[in-house]
Amino acid sequence: IDPITGDYSGTTTVASGNLMVGSNLTYVDAASILTLSNTLEANVPSLLLQNTHDSAASGPQMTLAKTPNGDDDDQLGIIKFNGRDDGGAAQTYATIEGYIGDASAGAEEGKLILSVASHDGEAQPGLTLASGDAEDKVNVTIGNEATSLTTISGVIVAPSRKYELPSSTVGDYKGGDVY
């Protein structure tokens, strides 16, 4: 299946109207792909996961699951944002990826990466969240290289923390200041 056009050379069933399923919908196909497409109007197709249960602890869920026993650095799932460039070539412009950081039973760690196409179409991580080296610690990496620009609008609140800025900091920084 073409990830942009949805072209598929296998069997296709076309239906119009609504498909109502009482409880579970299982889709089994050699290609393992369920495609929703529409060329008639903007902002469709769309996917709505709706929970009508009246409870604060209840909400819709979407789960990407890899069921075999895991190994460190296994990719668990990816959400791709695909389109075409102005020359008509297929391009992935952004991704959200989930990984197993550490698969050790009792010491499980995860990793989440948000990437974007960076100047030449190559995907680069812009935000990475990964388990730290201690219980409940999460490390965050913003940007991809030292030349990446990170903009923070508003105020940074970091209770009980001191930050030393390097001498190459641009702005109101005065060498030796500790903020």
Side-chain angles (χ1 to χ4, degrees):
I1 287 190
D2 181 291
I4 304 297
T5 65
D7 292 342
Y8 174 62
S9 59
T11 304
T12 302
T13 302
V14 178
S16 60
N18 297 324
L19 170 64
M20 304 293 285
V21 178
S23 58
N24 293 316
L25 171 63
T26 302
Y27 177 76
V28 179
D29 180 63
S32 297
I33 297 175
L34 172 63
T35 302
L36 305 173
S37 65
N38 183 318
T39 59
L40 301 177
E41 53 186 289
N43 300 319
V44 290
S46 59
L47 178 63
L48 170 66
L49 303 177
Q50 181 175 349
N51 181 323
T52 59
H53 187 267
D54 188 14
S55 168
S58 176
Q61 296 181 12
M62 182 171 69
T63 302
L64 304 177
K66 185 174 182 179
T67 57
N69 287 352
D71 289 316
D72 294 357
D73 301 317
D74 275 3
Q75 186 184 72
L76 297 173
I78 184 168
I79 299 172
K80 293 183 179 184
F81 299 85
N82 293 342
R84 292 196 180 275
D85 64 22
D86 60 8
Q91 174 66 43
T92 298
Y93 285 93
T95 61
I96 302 171
E97 302 173 69
Y99 289 87
I100 294 175
D102 184 345
S104 303
E108 297 87 342
E109 297 181 355
K111 185 175 184 179
L112 183 70
I113 302 172
L114 282 70
S115 299
V116 296
S118 176
H119 193 66
D120 61 355
E122 179 184 27
Q124 296 295 334
L127 179 65
T128 302
L129 306 169
S131 177
D133 59 2
E135 174 80 17
D136 300 330
K137 185 175 176 182
V138 176
N139 294 330
V140 178
T141 302
I142 301 173
N144 187 50
E145 293 186 359
T147 57
S148 294
L149 175 65
T150 302
T151 303
I152 300 173
S153 299
V155 177
I156 298 175
V157 177
S160 304
R161 302 289 186 255
K162 289 184 183 179
Y163 298 96
E164 268 195 62
L165 301 175
S167 60
S168 62
T169 302
V170 177
D172 295 329
Y173 172 78
K174 296 174 187 77
D177 287 350
V178 177
Y179 292 91

